[in-house]
Amino acid sequence: MPPENNDFHQLSEFALVGLRNLKLRGRLIISYLISTVFPLMLIYLYTYFLYGSTELTGQILVLALLMMGIALTMTLYTYMSISHPIEHMVHTCQMISDGDMEIRIQDTGSDELAYLSDNIDGMVTQIQLLLEQRQLSEARKRELELRMLQYQINPHFLFNTLNTLRLVAQMNQDKVVCEGIRSLSELLKNTLINDHEFITIQEEIDNLKHYFSIQAIRYAGSFHVNYDIPEPFSGYFLPKLILQPLAENSVLHGSFNDGTIMEIYVSCRWDKQDIILEVRDEGKGFDMNDKSSVPKGLGGIGNKNVNDRIHLYFSGDYGLTIESSPGKGTICKVRIPAIDTDTSNTKQENCHVSSTDC
């Protein structure tokens, strides 16, 4: 590189980097000297060289001093208008970094520094909200961990008790009680210990069968359940405990209570790319236009909760629809997306609980 180019490169580097590394006051002083003092001094010296010590030279000297004073005043004003907001911003940011999240810059100006200050204040507010949410989340997490520990202890005690009762019923050859205890134990195992959000359709149908087995003891001979679940659907996933509230609605509010056996149909079918799960009963039904006739005591999780959970997991295109007519029964349809075993990340290993088969 030629010497002149090397000198120019060093000068450019000083102008771009060296000046930037100086404090604002130093940069303003250098700028004032280069832009004002040196040019005016050169003009005065050139005039003095041409005309010597004359009246014109004195006038130019006075004019140069006056212009330097005006430039110095404007430079100081500019320095104060820039340095004070920056110093306040730096001091506030230092206090924020020390942990004071309540303080704000609050620059009331309308220039670029005020815009920057407003953005910093907004970011600090957002960080403060995120920290508060994190604290609440951590507290909630600790509470849930404690509850989970309690739930892990209590169900095992319950299962051991149920197994003991089942063995007593088995020794007394009471198959009805033995089957009821087995179904209750399996149902509790799948709902309390298995904390997975999603289970397969086959697992949901198994839970439903256990539920109907328990209700059959209480409402002996009042209903009969028919299943139409093709094998290809068994591996697809759905939110846990979606069908049980619908079955509970059929048993509690569809039965005639006059000795008539009510037929309940549980089926699964395709509707384009979606899966339709249907719980239909040929029970009493109700008038959907008459709100007073709509059953209210649904018990369990409830139909509304089923619909809300589906909307929570999926879009508003999915959910629960109910059709009913007096004397013709009720149809509950659940539309969910097809979540295949190969693509779902919700499949987890089942919890191991001792068998309760009779």
Side-chain angles (χ1 to χ4, degrees):
M1 180 181 292
E4 58 274 12
N5 292 340
N6 188 28
D7 295 340
F8 177 77
H9 176 73
Q10 293 178 354
L11 181 62
S12 300
E13 184 177 359
F14 171 76
L16 296 175
V17 181
L19 287 177
R20 186 176 180 183
N21 292 333
L22 296 175
K23 291 185 177 180
L24 178 62
R25 183 182 305 174
R27 277 182 276 174
L28 289 176
I29 292 175
I30 293 177
S31 176
Y32 173 72
L33 292 175
I34 294 176
S35 63
T36 304
V37 176
F38 290 163
L40 291 175
M41 290 298 296
L42 289 175
I43 292 174
Y44 172 73
L45 292 175
Y46 180 73
T47 304
Y48 184 80
F49 176 76
L50 290 178
Y51 302 102
S53 180
T54 61
E55 182 179 355
L56 177 61
T57 305
Q59 292 176 351
I60 291 178
L61 178 60
V62 173
L63 181 61
L65 293 175
L66 180 62
M67 293 181 64
M68 283 190 291
I70 295 175
L72 179 60
T73 302
M74 296 180 62
T75 301
L76 290 175
Y77 175 79
T78 303
Y79 167 74
M80 299 291 289
S81 65
I82 296 177
S83 64
H84 282 182
I86 292 179
E87 289 176 356
H88 176 62
M89 187 185 304
V90 171
H91 176 69
T92 304
C93 290
Q94 183 62 44
M95 295 182 65
I96 293 173
S97 65
D98 292 337
D100 187 1
M101 302 299 296
E102 300 296 333
I103 194 172
R104 298 292 185 273
I105 300 175
Q106 295 181 343
D107 192 335
T108 57
S110 58
D111 56 359
E112 290 81 358
L113 290 176
Y115 176 77
L116 178 60
S117 300
D118 290 339
N119 280 271
I120 293 176
D121 288 344
M123 287 189 294
V124 173
T125 301
Q126 186 67 22
I127 293 173
Q128 185 180 19
L129 292 175
L130 292 175
L131 289 176
E132 293 176 355
Q133 292 177 0
R134 181 179 178 182
Q135 292 175 353
L136 293 176
S137 177
E138 290 294 331
R140 179 62 176 167
K141 181 180 179 180
R142 288 192 294 268
E143 180 183 354
L144 291 176
E145 287 176 349
L146 179 60
R147 289 187 180 181
M148 183 178 296
L149 179 61
Q150 294 172 344
Y151 289 157
Q152 287 175 346
I153 296 174
N154 294 335
H156 284 91
F157 171 77
L158 178 61
F159 294 143
N160 291 334
T161 303
L162 289 174
N163 281 331
T164 301
L165 295 176
R166 179 188 60 80
L167 291 175
V168 173
Q170 187 176 13
M171 287 187 295
N172 291 308
Q173 297 183 351
D174 193 335
K175 294 187 177 296
V176 175
V177 175
C178 179
E179 180 63 24
I181 293 176
R182 187 192 71 84
S183 296
L184 177 59
S185 181
E186 289 292 333
L187 186 60
L188 291 176
K189 178 192 73 174
N190 294 330
T191 55
L192 293 182
I193 287 187
N194 185 358
D195 58 353
H196 303 159
E197 293 288 341
F198 284 72
I199 60 176
T200 63
I201 292 179
Q202 184 60 53
E203 291 173 328
E204 180 74 2
I205 295 300
D206 291 340
N207 290 338
L208 198 62
K209 290 179 179 179
H210 293 312
Y211 173 78
F212 278 128
S213 179
I214 296 171
Q215 293 292 46
I217 299 175
R218 180 179 178 183
Y219 302 96
S222 62
F223 64 88
H224 178 261
V225 186
N226 305 275
Y227 297 94
D228 182 15
I229 310 295
E231 179 64 26
F233 288 99
S234 61
Y236 286 90
F237 282 85
L238 79 168
K240 184 170 61 176
L241 295 178
I242 290 296
L243 298 181
Q244 180 179 327
L246 311 182
E248 187 174 8
N249 185 35
S250 296
V251 173
L252 297 181
H253 306 289
S255 300
F256 292 99
N257 298 324
D258 59 358
T260 303
I261 299 177
M262 177 183 62
E263 294 291 335
I264 299 176
Y265 299 90
V266 181
S267 61
C268 184
R269 58 182 172 83
W270 285 107
D271 185 5
K272 297 181 180 179
Q273 300 299 321
D274 300 329
I275 294 177
I276 302 295
L277 292 162
E278 183 176 292
V279 178
R280 177 172 62 90
D281 66 72
E282 296 179 350
K284 294 185 297 184
F286 58 89
D287 187 358
M288 299 188 65
N289 297 322
D290 184 6
K291 294 184 178 181
S292 61
S293 66
V294 177
K296 297 180 180 180
L298 298 181
I301 295 180
N303 289 356
K304 184 179 183 303
N305 184 267
V306 171
N307 201 35
D308 291 342
R309 288 175 62 211
I310 295 175
H311 288 167
L312 178 65
Y313 292 124
F314 312 115
S315 66
D317 298 333
Y318 304 97
L320 170 66
T321 58
I322 300 177
E323 301 175 4
S324 185
S325 300
K328 295 183 179 180
T330 302
I331 303 176
C332 298
K333 296 180 181 180
V334 174
R335 177 183 293 272
I336 58 173
I339 307 177
D340 193 274
T341 308
D342 297 331
T343 58
S344 173
N345 59 359
T346 59
K347 186 172 179 58
Q348 305 174 32
E349 294 182 0
N350 294 328
C351 297
H352 294 286
V353 179
S354 57
S355 175
T356 56
D357 292 338
C358 294

